[in-house]
Amino acid sequence: MVLKKLDPSIPLLLRTSLQAHHRSIFLVIGSSASHTIPTLFQVRSKSTLDKSSILWTYKDDLGFSSHKKKRMKKLKGMEKKGLQVESATSFDLFLTTTQITYLYYKDASKALGKTYDMVVIQDFQSITPDLLAKTVETCRGGGVVVFLLSGVESLKSVYSMTMDVHSRYRGSSKEEVKPRFVERFFLSLTKSNRFLAVDEEFNILKMSERTVKSLKPDGVQGNVVVSKRQSAEDVELEKIKSQCEGNVKAIVSLCVTLCQAKSVLTFLDALSERAKTTVSLTSARGRGKSASVGMCVAAAVSYGYGRIALTGPEVGNLTTVMEFCQKGLDALNYLEHKDYTVIYDTSGGGQGDKTKAIVGFNIHREHMQTVTFHSPTEAFVFSNADLVCVDEAAAIPLPIIKSIIDSAGLSFISSTIKGYEGTGRGLSLKLIKAMREKKGGMVSGGGGGSDVKGKKGDKKVHEDRWKVEAEDYKRRVEAGEGNPNLKEITLTTPIRYGSGDPVETWLDNLLCLEDNAKQQLKTRPAPETCELYKVDRDALFSYHDLSEKFLHKVMGVLTSAHYKNSPNDLMLLGDSPTHRLFVLLGPENSETSLPDILAVVQVALEGNINKKTVEAQLGRGKREAGDMIPWTVSQQFGDAEFAKMSGARVVRLAVPEECQGMGYGSRAIEQVYRFYNGDFVDLGDVGSEKESDAEESDGEDEDEDESDEENNKGGLLNEKLKPRKKLPPLLLPLSEVKGTPQLDWIGTSFGLTPNLFKFWQRTGMKLLYLRQTANPLTGEHSSIMLRPLPNRSKFSDSWMPSFTADARRRFVNLLSTVFRSMEVRNALAVLEDVKAYHDKIDSRIDQASSGGSTKKERKVKNAANNLGDAISSRAGGKGGLTAAELRLVLTDHDMKRLELYGRNLCDHHLIADLVGGVARLQFLGRIKGVELSSVQSALMVGMGLQGKSVTEVGKELGLPDNQVLAMFNKAIRKMGAGIREAVEVEAANEFGQTGNKSVEGLEKMKDVTELTLEEEQEAAAEELKEKKKKKKKGGILDDDEIARYHVKGTQEEWKEALENKGEGEGGSVQVKRKRDAEEIEDAGLGENFKRSNRYYEEEEERVRESVGLKMTEKMKKDKKRKKKDGKKIREIGGLE
C-alpha cells in the first residue's frame, strides 16, 4: 500500500474550522470517493478530544454492508481463502469502530434536531435543495460536510448533469431539462473560503484555489488538540449564570448562548408577573428558539402553573420543545415516575416514522399539573389554560393565532422568520404587527398614533417600513403609549456553530434563505403604467453578480408573499422545462441599479396530452406527475378531450407586502393573459419556444468552445469553473418575445378564500373544481379556475359553459355535506359568479337562436343550439321548470305548505324539509324570473343548501333572528310565486286553442297578490252585509215557497182568455202567448250564450283544480261582476 503525504491545506482548513467553531465543505470526485472518508475523519480527530460521530446519507445503495457482524464475517472468510484484504481492512475497520448513522434520503427528516461532526452525502445525483439544507444543518461547528461525486471526468460536464428529480419535471412535455440549479451550485462553491475540492487521491483541484489562498499557516506541527476560542459573549454568559440563584440558575445553566439566556430570563419575568401578557420570540433556524420555549415550560411548572397547553402545526414540530422541557424538569430535580410521568404518542409524531413522540407530561409532586399538546383549532382548551405556548406560529393561519392570543391569559409565541422549513417571513411580520396593534398604541386618534400618522408621509417610512415601525413602537412603549402586554425577543446567535459561519452564508445564498424583507422600493407608480417582462432563466441562474442580486429579490418577493415555501421551489423554477417567470416593473428604471419588482408571476405550461394516454391512466386510477389542471379536470368531468388542449397555469403570483392591494397583481395577470392570447405579437407568428431557446443555447456553446478547451488542457486538476460569458438579456418586454406558444386556456389553483376568489374572479376566471378535503394547515379547500384564450385556441369554447354548469350542480349538492362548514359569504360568491356567467350565456344563446334567415345566421343558430345541448347535458335540464320536474321535489300538499308560510299562516319549521329542494331549484337556475336580494340569497344558501339554523346564519351575517326570518319569508314568497307561474304557463300551453279563455283568465291572475288573513276576513264581512241588504229589499216573490204559485200572463192576455171561454167548459183557463220569428231566434241565441258562459266557468274551474289552486275572494267577486254584466247584456238584447 503506497502512502502519500496530504496537502497541508487539508489539515489547516480542519484546524481553522475547529478554532472558529465553523464548518467546512469537501467535494471528493472519483469512483472510490467513499474510501477517503476514513482519512478525513482521522485527520480531524487528531485536533479534537471529543468523540466524533458521522451521518452518512444515501439514496438506496451504500455499496457496502452497514451491518458490522456481516462485514466482519465477510473479512474473515476472505482471510481464510488467502485473499489480499489490506486495502479493504482499513475501510472496514473504520466502519466497524466508528459511530455512524446511516439514513436514506427519504428519511432525512429523522436527523432534524440532532448534531453530527461529519455529514457524508453520497449520491449527488439524487439530492434536492430541501435535502441539502436538512443534512448540512445537522453538522456542528468545526465539523465537515463531504459531497461524494463519481463518474465525472470533467467539471464542465456537471452543467449537463441529470438529477433524479428531473424526471418529475418533464411530465408530458417533450422539452429537455436544463440543470441550471446544479450549475449554480458548483459555481457558488468556488466563492466560499471554507471549501476544498479533491480527487480520490487528495489532490486539490484548482476550483478551490480561493480557499487555499485565504488559509494562513498557523505554525502547528504534528498532532495538536485545538480548542474553540472563547468570545466576549461567552464570558458574559458565564457571568449571568453565576449571578442567578435557585430554580432560575438551574434553567439558565442549560442555555448555550447569551441571547438565549436573555430570552429565557424575559420568559421567566413574564411567568413571575402572572399577567395577561404575550411574549413573542422570533429567530432564524438553529438559534435555540424551540429549546428556549421548552426550558420556560419547565420553569412554569416550578412556578406552580397548573394547566399548560402547547400547540403547533404538528406534534413533530414540538419535539425539541418537549425534549428541553424534560431536561428542564431534570435540572429542577424532578424525578421521572416519582414526580412526573411522560405521555407518549406512538403514531409517529407527524413525521411518518413509528418512534415514540412525547406529547405531554403529568406532574404530581405537590399538586396535579399537566403539560399537553393540542391542535391549534381546539380553542376551548386555550381559554381554560394558565399558559399557552405556540411554536412555529407562522405556519398556523393568522386568524387562529389571533383567537389563541385573545382567549389565553399568558401566551408564548415563537416563530421562524428564516429557515428551510418553508415558513415565510411575510406571515410572521403580519403576526407581529397584529399583536402590536392589539392595544391602543397603533390606533389613530391617540397621542402616539397621531405622531405615527404624521410620519407616514416621510420617505424614510417607505424605504424601511418595518424598522421604522419597530423603532416607533419601542419609543411609545418607553413613553407608556404602546402595548404594555407585548414583549418581543429576537435570537441572533447560532447554537450549533459560531457566528458568521461561512457554510451558513453559502447555504443561505445558494437557497435564497436570507432575510429579503427589507427591500427598499423607490417609487410606487400607477399600475396601468407598469409593464410585464419575461425573465430569461439561463441569465437568471448564471451566477453573475447582477443576476444573483435580481434572483434574490425575486425569491424575496415570493417568500414574503406566500405562507409556506420550500427550497425545492428554487430548483423547480430553474430547471423545469415547462415553467416561465415574469416580473412587473415600473415605467422608470435606472440603468445603474436594479429595478423595483412590483409583482412576480410564475407560470407552468400544461396540457397537450395524448387522449389515449389519458384514458389509459385514468382507467387504472393513476396519473402522471405534472400537468395538474389537465389531469384533474379530465378526471373530474370524465372528458379526455380537455387534456389535449394546452394551457398556462399561474403557479404563483406574489406582490411585495407594502404594495399589496394597489392593483399590481391584477395588472400582471392581465398582461399574462394578453401575452398568451396573442395580443402582443402578430397572430401569424406562431413559433415554438423550444426552438428559440435551442438556437440561443447553440450560439452560446459555440462561443465558449474555445475557452473550454483552454481550461481542460490540464485535466480535472487544473480545470476552473466560471460563469457563462455570453448570455441572452435578463429581461425582455413581452412585445419582443418570439415564439409565443399557442394555448387554449389560462388558469390557476389556490386555497379558496373570499379575497382570493374575488381577485381571480375579476381577472375573468371561472371556478371549475373545488377539492372536498380541506388543507390541514390553512383549513382552505383547493380550487381550480380557468379562462379560455379565444384568439389562439384551436378548440371550441363550448367546454367552458358546460363545465361550469356541472361544477355548479356538484357544488350545490355538496354544500349540505362536505362544504357545510364553509362561510355563507364564500359559498354565495361562488354561486353568484356562476349565475351571472350563465345568464350572459343564456342571453347569447337566445339571441343567436332567434336568427336563421341567412346561411351565416343559420350556422350561428346551430352552434347556439349545440352549446345549449352541451350545457343541459351537464346541468341536468334545459329551459324552465316543468311540472314533471317539480313533482319530483314538491307535491301539491308541499305547495300548499309553502303558500301557507308565504301568507304567514304557519311557522318556518313547517317547511324546513322543503327549503333545501326549493333552494336547489333556485341556485341551479331552474326557476326563471326570480331575483333575490343579496341577503335573501345568503339566507337561502345557509338555511337551504347548508342546512344551518336561523341563529347560525344570523351570527355569520350579523343579523338578529327576527330580521333573518322576515327576509327568509320574503324569499320563500318570491320563489313560490315563480314556481306557480312556471307551472301555470306549462298547464295553459297544454290546452292549446281549446283553452284560450282559460289562458286569458290565468294571464289576468298572474299579477294577483295573495290576500292576507285580515283582508280575507274583511272581504267575507262585506259579502255577508250585501246579502242581508238584498234580503231586506226583496218582496213576497223573493220567497221560494210563495213564488211557486205566481200566475204568469198580462191583463190583456187574461181578458181575452176569459172572453173566449164557453159556458159548459171546465174551471181551468189557459193563456197562450204567441212569439214571432225574431223572438224565437233571440231565445235560441240566449240559450247558446248561457251554455257558452257555463262552459267558460266550468273550464276555468277544471283548470284550477288540475293545478291545485283555489279561487280567492277577489276572483269570486270578479266572477259575480262578470255574471251581472252578462245579465245586463241579455236584458238589453231581450234575451233574458
Side-chain angles (χ1 to χ4, degrees):
M1 184 176 185
V2 180
L3 299 178
K4 183 179 179 180
K5 184 179 180 180
L6 286 177
D7 190 292
S9 299
I10 296 176
L12 180 59
L13 175 61
L14 296 176
R15 289 196 302 268
T16 304
S17 300
L18 283 169
Q19 290 177 349
H21 199 52
H22 290 164
R23 297 168 293 179
S24 57
I25 302 176
F26 278 80
L27 174 65
V28 184
I29 302 176
S31 58
S32 303
S34 59
H35 289 267
T36 61
I37 301 300
T39 304
L40 286 175
F41 183 81
Q42 184 181 8
V43 172
R44 183 190 177 277
S45 301
K46 291 179 179 179
S47 301
T48 179
L49 296 176
D50 298 334
K51 188 177 181 180
S52 301
S53 59
I54 298 178
L55 172 64
W56 198 304
T57 60
Y58 60 102
K59 180 185 177 182
D60 51 15
D61 184 17
L62 270 173
F64 54 87
S65 176
S66 60
H67 198 283
K68 294 184 179 181
K69 291 184 178 180
K70 290 183 178 179
R71 190 165 50 250
M72 294 303 297
K73 184 177 181 180
K74 180 181 178 181
L75 289 176
K76 291 179 180 179
M78 293 177 65
E79 290 179 355
K80 290 181 179 180
K81 294 179 181 179
L83 299 176
Q84 188 73 19
V85 294
E86 292 182 0
S87 60
T89 301
S90 59
F91 182 71
D92 290 331
L93 289 178
F94 163 76
L95 298 177
T96 305
T97 58
T98 310
Q99 181 182 352
I100 304 177
T101 301
Y102 300 96
L103 274 182
Y104 290 112
Y105 282 165
K106 62 181 180 181
D107 298 331
S109 298
K110 295 181 180 180
L112 292 179
K114 301 177 182 179
T115 307
Y116 303 91
D117 297 284
M118 179 178 286
V119 176
V120 180
I121 302 175
Q122 177 174 305
D123 300 312
F124 184 82
Q125 287 84 354
S126 301
I127 66 171
T128 61
D130 186 47
L131 175 68
L132 179 67
K134 289 180 179 179
T135 52
V136 171
E137 281 296 310
T138 60
C139 184
R140 64 164 53 97
V144 184
V145 179
V146 184
F147 294 97
L148 304 181
L149 187 60
S150 59
V152 176
E153 298 179 357
S154 171
L155 290 178
K156 202 67 177 180
S157 62
V158 300
Y159 288 0
S160 58
M161 180 181 294
T162 301
M163 309 296 287
D164 292 349
V165 73
H166 288 169
S167 60
R168 290 184 289 177
Y169 293 166
R170 288 189 175 91
S172 61
S173 175
K174 299 179 181 179
E175 299 183 40
E176 295 183 358
V177 179
K178 291 185 178 181
R180 301 181 181 92
F181 178 82
V182 177
E183 177 181 349
R184 184 169 170 269
F185 171 83
F186 284 102
L187 289 173
S188 66
L189 286 176
T190 61
K191 297 294 182 68
S192 175
N193 57 1
R194 287 291 186 273
F195 163 72
L196 282 180
V198 299
D199 60 8
E200 56 189 1
E201 296 180 357
F202 288 101
N203 297 313
I204 297 180
L205 276 61
K206 201 168 185 179
M207 64 177 295
S208 55
E209 62 181 356
R210 182 187 183 95
T211 303
V212 176
K213 293 179 180 180
S214 65
L215 292 175
K216 297 181 181 180
D218 53 3
V220 176
Q221 300 292 333
N223 300 332
V224 178
V225 177
V226 178
S227 59
K228 174 189 172 183
R229 299 191 188 100
Q230 192 173 25
S231 62
E233 291 186 356
D234 296 334
V235 176
E236 188 176 354
L237 175 62
E238 296 298 329
K239 184 178 179 180
I240 292 177
K241 290 181 179 180
S242 62
Q243 292 176 350
C244 297
E245 297 179 354
N247 292 339
V248 176
K249 184 176 183 178
I251 295 297
V252 175
S253 61
L254 298 176
C255 300
V256 293
T257 62
L258 179 62
C259 60
Q260 187 183 35
K262 291 182 178 180
S263 67
V264 170
L265 290 175
T266 305
F267 278 120
L268 297 181
D269 183 48
L271 289 173
S272 62
E273 292 177 356
R274 291 181 177 269
K276 186 175 177 60
T277 307
T278 300
V279 182
S280 169
L281 177 62
T282 57
S283 70
R285 170 150 185 89
R287 266 61 179 173
K289 167 182 55 63
S290 299
S292 301
V293 175
M295 289 184 281
C296 294
V297 171
V301 173
S302 65
Y303 275 81
Y305 283 77
R307 295 182 296 272
I308 303 175
L310 307 180
T311 186
E314 293 181 354
V315 179
N317 295 110
L318 274 77
T319 302
T320 306
V321 175
M322 295 295 185
E323 178 185 351
F324 276 86
C325 179
Q326 187 173 13
K327 290 183 178 180
L329 292 175
D330 295 339
L332 293 170
N333 297 324
Y334 281 76
L335 301 178
E336 187 177 359
H337 304 302
K338 179 181 179 182
D339 298 326
Y340 70 91
T341 305
V342 182
I343 305 174
Y344 292 97
D345 178 19
T346 57
S347 62
Q351 296 294 342
D353 55 330
K354 298 182 179 180
T355 58
K356 290 184 178 181
I358 300 177
V359 294
F361 302 91
N362 288 330
I363 299 95
H364 39 77
R365 172 187 278 185
E366 298 177 355
H367 62 280
M368 189 62 184
Q369 297 171 278
T370 57
V371 178
T372 52
F373 170 83
H374 297 278
S375 173
T377 57
E378 300 179 17
F380 62 93
V381 176
F382 306 120
S383 59
N384 298 324
D386 300 325
L387 172 64
V388 177
C389 298
V390 185
D391 195 24
E392 297 300 343
I396 302 175
L398 187 59
I400 297 179
I401 294 295
K402 287 183 177 180
S403 64
I404 292 175
I405 295 175
D406 294 338
S407 61
L410 177 61
S411 57
F412 293 166
I413 310 293
S414 67
S415 177
T416 301
I417 59 175
K418 185 187 74 172
Y420 57 78
E421 287 98 335
T423 302
R425 182 179 172 86
L427 189 59
S428 300
L429 292 175
K430 291 180 183 179
L431 176 63
I432 302 301
K433 183 181 178 183
M435 290 192 292
R436 288 175 183 169
E437 295 176 350
K438 187 178 179 183
K439 294 295 180 181
M442 291 293 290
V443 179
S444 61
S450 59
D451 294 340
V452 177
K453 188 175 181 180
K455 289 186 177 183
K456 287 294 182 182
D458 298 342
K459 183 179 179 181
K460 182 180 179 183
V461 177
H462 295 296
E463 290 179 351
D464 208 348
R465 179 180 178 185
W466 300 109
K467 182 179 179 181
V468 171
E469 286 188 357
E471 291 177 353
D472 183 73
Y473 168 75
K474 183 178 180 181
R475 176 189 61 78
R476 288 184 289 102
V477 170
E478 294 175 353
E481 303 173 358
N483 184 356
N485 296 328
L486 173 63
K487 299 181 180 180
E488 296 186 49
I489 311 170
T490 302
L491 300 181
T492 56
T493 307
I495 297 292
R496 294 189 179 95
Y497 38 83
S499 300
D501 179 43
V503 175
E504 182 187 26
T505 304
W506 164 79
L507 189 63
D508 289 347
N509 291 333
L510 174 66
L511 303 181
C512 300
L513 299 176
E514 69 278 356
D515 185 4
N516 289 304
K518 297 182 180 180
Q519 294 187 17
Q520 299 178 355
L521 298 180
K522 297 181 284 294
T523 59
R524 290 173 176 80
E528 57 270 13
T529 62
C530 301
E531 295 296 332
L532 197 69
Y533 292 80
K534 183 181 179 182
V535 181
D536 188 276
R537 293 183 295 167
D538 288 335
L540 185 64
F541 286 83
S542 63
Y543 206 70
H544 285 280
D545 293 339
L546 189 64
S547 300
E548 277 297 296
K549 292 179 181 179
F550 193 78
L551 175 62
H552 284 244
K553 292 189 70 172
V554 170
M555 295 306 299
V557 174
L558 290 173
T559 303
S560 63
H562 202 262
Y563 73 94
K564 189 173 183 180
N565 301 274
S566 170
N568 290 338
D569 298 335
L570 181 64
M571 191 172 187
L572 176 67
L573 177 64
D575 294 1
S576 177
T578 60
H579 281 241
R580 304 292 182 267
L581 186 65
F582 302 88
V583 293
L584 186 72
L585 306 179
E588 299 179 0
N589 295 319
S590 175
E591 296 180 358
T592 59
S593 61
L594 290 174
D596 290 335
I597 299 178
L598 302 175
V600 178
V601 185
Q602 183 179 353
V603 175
L605 303 182
E606 298 182 342
N608 195 18
I609 310 174
N610 185 273
K611 181 179 179 180
K612 294 183 179 180
T613 303
V614 177
E615 293 176 348
Q617 292 286 344
L618 296 181
R620 294 193 297 266
K622 297 180 180 180
R623 49 180 287 183
E624 295 181 358
D627 298 305
M628 184 187 73
I629 290 182
W631 282 107
T632 303
V633 174
S634 298
Q635 184 181 31
Q636 290 296 318
F637 296 100
D639 189 355
E641 292 290 336
F642 180 81
K644 294 171 59 178
M645 294 189 288
S646 302
R649 174 172 62 92
V650 180
V651 180
R652 284 193 178 186
L653 170 63
V655 177
E657 176 70 21
E658 56 270 32
C659 297
Q660 292 181 1
M662 297 184 181
Y664 296 120
S666 300
R667 175 66 175 176
I669 295 299
E670 176 192 355
Q671 295 281 299
V672 172
Y673 171 79
R674 293 183 58 199
F675 172 68
Y676 285 116
N677 199 34
D679 297 339
F680 284 101
V681 294
D682 185 6
L683 293 180
D685 182 19
V686 181
S688 173
E689 204 169 33
K690 176 183 175 182
E691 295 176 0
S692 61
D693 292 345
E695 292 176 0
E696 292 178 0
S697 60
D698 292 341
E700 296 163 10
D701 294 340
E702 292 177 1
D703 294 335
E704 296 178 1
D705 285 342
E706 297 180 0
S707 59
D708 292 344
E709 292 178 1
E710 294 178 0
N711 288 337
N712 294 336
K713 286 182 179 180
L716 188 64
L717 295 178
N718 297 326
E719 190 177 3
K720 291 183 180 180
L721 288 180
K722 293 182 179 180
R724 299 177 186 268
K725 294 181 180 180
K726 293 186 178 181
L727 292 167
L730 178 62
L731 300 174
L732 196 64
L734 297 184
S735 57
E736 300 179 12
V737 177
K738 298 181 181 179
T740 307
Q742 187 171 357
L743 304 181
D744 306 295
W745 53 263
I746 182 173
T748 185
S749 177
F750 60 95
L752 187 67
T753 60
N755 293 334
L756 283 178
F757 178 77
K758 186 178 180 181
F759 169 80
W760 290 109
Q761 177 189 1
R762 289 199 303 265
T763 63
M765 295 189 184
K766 303 301 175 185
L767 182 70
L768 290 188
Y769 170 71
L770 191 62
R771 188 179 178 88
Q772 298 182 22
T773 56
N775 188 309
L777 177 62
T778 62
E780 300 165 359
H781 296 268
S782 299
S783 60
I784 292 178
M785 297 183 71
L786 295 182
R787 182 183 182 184
L789 297 171
N791 291 351
R792 306 295 298 274
S793 179
K794 300 171 291 185
F795 297 84
S796 172
D797 294 343
S798 61
W799 57 270
M800 188 67 179
S802 60
F803 283 178
T804 53
D806 196 350
R808 175 175 64 174
R809 182 178 57 82
R810 297 185 187 186
F811 181 66
V812 167
N813 294 332
L814 290 174
L815 276 175
S816 60
T817 54
V818 294
F819 297 138
R820 188 182 184 279
S821 59
M822 182 182 293
E823 292 186 6
V824 173
R825 292 184 179 90
N826 207 357
L828 180 61
V830 175
L831 293 174
E832 286 184 340
D833 180 53
V834 180
K835 181 180 181 300
Y837 175 67
H838 275 273
D839 287 345
K840 294 181 181 179
I841 296 296
D842 293 341
S843 63
R844 293 176 183 174
I845 293 176
D846 295 340
Q847 184 178 1
S849 301
S850 61
S853 58
T854 64
K855 182 177 181 180
K856 183 177 180 181
E857 290 178 347
R858 287 195 298 270
K859 185 177 180 181
V860 174
K861 182 178 180 180
N862 294 333
N865 293 333
N866 294 335
L867 178 58
D869 295 339
I871 295 175
S872 62
S873 64
R874 294 276 185 180
K878 186 177 182 180
L881 182 66
T882 62
E885 182 182 358
L886 178 63
R887 290 190 182 94
L888 297 176
V889 182
L890 301 174
T891 64
D892 295 341
H893 298 285
D894 296 337
M895 290 290 298
K896 292 179 182 178
R897 281 194 286 162
L898 288 176
E899 181 181 356
L900 291 175
Y901 180 72
R903 296 166 57 187
N904 293 322
L905 297 179
C906 65
D907 189 67
H908 71 280
H909 295 97
L910 185 64
I911 63 167
D913 60 314
L914 308 178
V915 179
V918 176
R920 270 189 285 273
L921 293 176
Q922 171 65 22
F923 288 104
L924 289 177
R926 306 300 298 143
I927 306 177
K928 303 295 183 181
V930 176
E931 295 292 337
L932 302 179
S933 65
S934 298
V935 177
Q936 293 171 354
S937 299
L939 294 178
M940 293 309 301
V941 170
M943 300 176 63
L945 299 180
Q946 293 182 302
K948 296 181 180 179
S949 64
V950 175
T951 305
E952 290 175 338
V953 177
K955 187 177 180 181
E956 284 193 43
L957 301 179
L959 298 174
D961 291 354
N962 57 351
Q963 191 171 352
V964 170
L965 290 175
M967 299 300 294
F968 178 69
N969 181 271
K970 292 182 180 179
I972 291 296
R973 291 179 65 179
K974 285 184 179 180
M975 291 186 294
I979 293 174
R980 286 195 301 273
E981 180 180 355
V983 175
E984 288 172 1
V985 171
E986 183 187 8
N989 291 334
E990 289 180 358
F991 290 112
Q993 298 296 328
T994 60
N996 286 336
K997 293 183 179 180
S998 301
V999 174
E1000 293 176 1
L1002 292 175
E1003 289 290 338
K1004 293 181 180 179
M1005 290 185 287
K1006 274 187 178 180
D1007 300 327
V1008 176
T1009 305
E1010 298 289 351
L1011 300 178
T1012 62
L1013 180 61
E1014 292 80 4
E1015 292 174 342
E1016 286 188 0
Q1017 290 176 349
E1018 292 177 1
E1022 292 293 335
E1023 185 179 358
L1024 184 60
K1025 289 180 182 179
E1026 291 291 334
K1027 288 182 179 180
K1028 289 182 179 180
K1029 288 181 182 180
K1030 289 181 180 180
K1031 192 172 183 180
K1032 289 180 181 179
K1033 292 181 180 180
I1036 298 176
L1037 294 179
D1038 290 337
D1039 191 348
D1040 295 337
E1041 294 295 331
I1042 298 177
R1044 293 170 56 192
Y1045 304 102
H1046 175 62
V1047 179
K1048 298 181 180 179
T1050 62
Q1051 292 293 336
E1052 290 78 8
E1053 291 175 346
W1054 275 104
K1055 186 176 180 180
E1056 182 181 358
L1058 291 173
E1059 290 177 352
N1060 296 333
K1061 180 183 176 185
E1063 295 182 355
E1065 296 179 6
S1068 62
V1069 180
Q1070 182 178 8
V1071 178
K1072 296 182 179 180
R1073 186 183 180 189
K1074 296 181 180 180
R1075 296 187 296 180
D1076 54 12
E1078 185 177 354
E1079 286 184 279
I1080 295 173
E1081 184 179 356
D1082 292 341
L1085 291 175
E1087 292 298 326
N1088 291 336
F1089 186 87
K1090 291 180 181 179
R1091 284 196 295 270
S1092 64
N1093 190 39
R1094 285 196 301 271
Y1095 171 78
Y1096 169 77
E1097 294 175 354
E1098 293 174 358
E1099 187 69 15
E1100 180 181 348
E1101 189 67 25
R1102 187 175 65 82
V1103 171
R1104 291 196 160 277
E1105 290 178 358
S1106 65
V1107 296
L1109 298 178
K1110 294 183 178 180
M1111 293 183 64
T1112 62
E1113 293 299 329
K1114 188 174 181 181
M1115 295 178 183
K1116 293 178 181 179
K1117 290 181 180 180
D1118 292 339
K1119 185 176 180 181
K1120 291 181 180 180
R1121 178 177 54 77
K1122 293 176 183 178
K1123 189 174 182 180
K1124 291 180 180 179
D1125 293 341
K1127 185 176 181 181
K1128 290 181 181 179
I1129 293 173
R1130 291 193 297 274
E1131 289 176 354
I1132 293 172
L1135 303 177
E1136 187 64 41

